[in-house]
Amino acid sequence: MAFKFTDKYLKSFISDSDLKSVGGEVDSAVKTLEQRTGRGSDFLGWVDLPVDYDKAEFSRIKAAAQKIRKSCDVFVVIGIGGSYLGARAAIEFVLGQNHNALKGDSPEIYFVGNDISSSHLRDVLEICDGKDVCVNVISKSGTTTEPAIAFRIFRDLLVKKYGDGAKDRIFATTDKARGALRSQADALGYETFVIPDDVGGRYSVLTAVGLLPIAVAGIDIDEMMAGAAAARTELSGGDVLSNPCYRYAAIRNILYRRGKRVEILVANDPALTLTCEWWKQLFGESEGKEGKGLYPSSAVYSTDLHSMGQFIQQGERVMFETYIDVNVSDGFTIPYDEENSDGLNFLAGKEINFVNQKAFEGTVMAHTDGDVPNCVVDLSSRSPRDFGYLVYFFEKAVAVSGYMLGINPFDQPGVEAYKKNMFALLDKPGYAEEKKKLEARISEIG
Ligand code: PA5
């Protein structure tokens, strides 16, 4: 397996006896998860998903992906939060950030409906001009404002372009029975895929939410599920010392109790930028509640060593790092230069990845010296299998960690607050009283 979690750089901060001291709490969090007795236990569908999924739907996803690949130049994926981050993370993890330019026989893939930016929507509409387009609209609730706005716009584009044929180019991923998107899809005859009731948005990448866009990108979704299934087997059983997932959950809680407030997920390859964003949602929404939780942040090295590196080395000592070391040796070497005017010949013939590895080692040592503890995930490839493994590792870790923290890792009540205010300010029916109060407060501020 190309995935390995290690806390060998953490020894000056956390010993095995520190870990053993929270072993009982870890065991009890795991038991709560496995026996489904904890808060949020209605949302544990992700636990067995890698092996217990709807095989008929899985085949339909593959067939739809083939159809989409054959019938469009541009595939527009509409969704926000858990209905967007996982798919984009997987595609960039495996294919890199330049996948649209290097697409081979895949359509270009764009993600919209994940913000309220008119220029973002306009740009993607312009990209679609003169091209064949298919759309996947994804919303578990079927009522989220951002994707609903984007879908109106792209549905209009398809209807103008293809008339009745538009419905064959629209794929809806939503609840099996509820929500405006479900009603629309049923009424207009779109092919639909289901987000299971017991899988929350941020845990849904291995459902149709992630799998359809990922398959359209030409990525092997069987392999991705196999990676998650391997993690499910390998990361069950054992204890805080022997199970890396439990060890990671314990380390996070120990560091939090010692005053660390920020966890930075670092990756040394920009292909993992969106994996970090996906992780931020998973950990932020799962743990950030009841006035508790580590603030999940992210960085891409060495890029961010030239910006945030100063703060991490010498600023407020509130953070630790979980460093995903992407160590993929691909034979790409630094050329020799006869004149050596840049003084770089000491690196000639060395792999670029070798330099990245030395940067990794140097950074971990420097940050450790600067009182920033580091745990590490070694990743020696960026295959679909690795992505599936990584997803399951983090999903299970945050569930155990969240139960150790004493919160419900599967709800997100705080997300509603901004929506309520926005709806009131936008005159949504039913919000008149709220609107009056809010506008009074806003005008008081001036
Ligand atoms: O984790 C969550 O539940 C949220 O971030 C949702 O994924 C996000 O709000 C999108 O919701 P929906 O899929 O219902 O449109």
Side-chain angles (χ1 to χ4, degrees):
M1 175 43 70
F3 172 102
K4 191 166 155 255
F5 174 81
T6 173
D7 55 2
K8 67 182 179 191
Y9 299 101
L10 211 65
K11 297 294 177 205
S12 56
F13 299 96
I14 296 179
S15 65
D16 276 2
S17 70
D18 292 328
L19 287 171
K20 276 190 218 154
S21 72
V22 296
E25 282 180 67
V26 170
D27 291 346
S28 122
V30 171
K31 205 164 139 195
T32 304
L33 182 66
E34 284 175 350
Q35 297 184 347
R36 300 176 179 248
T37 50
R39 291 159 77 187
S41 60
D42 286 349
F43 289 94
L44 294 180
W46 59 272
V47 173
D48 294 325
L49 196 59
V51 288
D52 182 14
Y53 56 90
D54 182 338
K55 308 287 185 305
E57 173 157 278
F58 195 80
S59 300
R60 266 199 318 116
I61 289 171
K62 288 192 199 167
Q66 281 317 316
K67 181 175 156 194
I68 292 166
R69 285 169 65 80
K70 282 198 197 110
S71 54
C72 70
D73 310 303
V74 175
F75 181 52
V76 178
V77 183
I78 301 175
I80 193 166
S83 292
Y84 134 78
L85 285 162
R88 187 163 166 201
I91 292 169
E92 294 195 7
F93 180 99
V94 177
L95 302 175
Q97 288 185 310
N98 296 312
H99 61 90
N100 279 335
L102 302 168
K103 63 194 175 64
D105 58 357
S106 298
E108 290 173 34
I109 301 177
Y110 295 95
F111 293 87
V112 296
N114 51 70
D115 54 47
I116 320 178
S117 157
S118 62
S119 65
H120 183 193
L121 284 167
R122 263 184 215 284
D123 289 351
V124 178
L125 270 178
E126 199 176 316
I127 287 167
C128 291
D129 204 27
K131 300 197 179 128
D132 277 318
V133 180
C134 287
V135 166
N136 181 198
V137 54
I138 308 170
S139 177
K140 186 169 192 225
S141 62
T143 55
T144 308
T145 310
E146 290 88 339
I149 293 172
F151 184 47
R152 264 200 187 193
I153 289 162
F154 281 88
R155 192 193 52 207
D156 281 359
L157 171 81
L158 292 195
V159 169
K160 270 193 206 116
K161 218 170 151 73
Y162 303 107
D164 265 3
K167 71 172 186 349
D168 300 324
R169 291 176 171 271
I170 296 175
F171 300 81
T173 307
T174 189
D175 186 87
K176 67 175 183 312
R178 282 171 307 210
L181 181 57
R182 163 56 61 190
S183 325
Q184 241 182 319
D186 289 345
L188 297 171
Y190 307 148
E191 177 158 13
T192 59
F193 299 95
V194 170
I195 310 174
D197 281 343
D198 57 357
V199 180
R202 59 189 175 275
Y203 292 83
S204 69
V205 55
L206 300 176
T207 70
V209 169
L211 295 175
L212 180 60
I214 294 167
V216 171
I219 294 170
D220 186 336
I221 57 174
D222 286 298
E223 275 294 295
M224 196 166 280
M225 293 304 267
R232 177 179 164 277
T233 306
E234 289 169 22
L235 303 174
S236 83
D239 60 18
V240 69
L241 293 185
S242 62
N243 185 320
C245 188
Y246 304 164
R247 211 172 164 103
Y248 174 51
I251 288 166
R252 302 181 74 253
N253 277 275
I254 292 171
L255 292 172
Y256 179 63
R257 290 168 197 180
R258 290 188 190 165
K260 296 298 184 191
R261 289 293 172 263
V262 177
E263 177 178 6
I264 309 174
L265 186 73
V266 173
N268 53 0
D269 191 315
L272 271 71
T273 304
L274 259 290
T275 299
C276 293
E277 294 302 315
W278 167 83
W279 173 90
K280 275 162 37 182
Q281 187 203 6
L282 180 66
F283 279 68
E285 275 192 354
S286 297
E287 288 196 323
K289 54 196 68 157
E290 299 177 28
K292 300 186 203 173
L294 283 159
Y295 181 79
S297 168
S298 67
V300 174
Y301 291 169
S302 66
T303 314
D304 291 327
L305 290 173
H306 296 260
S307 58
M308 296 308 289
Q310 169 59 38
F311 192 110
I312 295 167
Q313 191 67 47
Q314 295 183 326
E316 187 82 47
R317 303 296 69 195
V318 289
M319 76 282 279
F320 70 95
E321 293 175 304
T322 298
Y323 199 135
I324 306 182
D325 176 26
V326 184
N327 183 3
V328 184
S329 174
D330 61 0
F332 191 4
T333 57
I334 298 162
Y336 179 78
D337 177 13
E338 201 63 53
E339 289 184 9
N340 196 25
S341 48
D342 52 10
L344 214 63
N345 271 354
F346 76 102
L347 291 178
K350 299 255 182 347
E351 271 201 28
I352 292 170
N353 183 55
F354 171 79
V355 180
N356 208 17
Q357 286 313 297
K358 293 301 151 194
F360 156 70
E361 288 169 6
T363 305
V364 169
M365 297 314 284
H367 289 181
T368 300
D369 290 345
D371 197 19
V372 177
N374 266 255
C375 42
V376 173
V377 171
D378 285 321
L379 211 57
S380 60
S381 70
R382 282 173 25 220
S383 67
R385 183 175 278 261
D386 295 315
F387 186 80
Y389 199 104
L390 198 71
V391 159
Y392 198 87
F393 172 83
F394 282 131
E395 287 180 346
K396 186 160 187 187
V398 79
V400 174
S401 178
Y403 278 143
M404 288 179 74
L405 191 62
I407 49 83
N408 175 356
F410 306 110
D411 66 357
Q412 56 286 327
V415 178
E416 294 311 311
Y418 99 91
K419 288 188 195 166
K420 210 172 86 199
N421 286 353
M422 179 177 78
F423 290 150
L425 294 170
L426 287 171
D427 268 332
K428 187 169 178 173
Y431 288 81
E433 203 45 44
E434 206 53 51
K435 178 182 161 81
K436 237 191 277 162
K437 284 189 209 150
L438 265 177
E439 287 189 338
R441 282 175 58 203
I442 291 169
S443 73
E444 232 174 83
I445 293 166

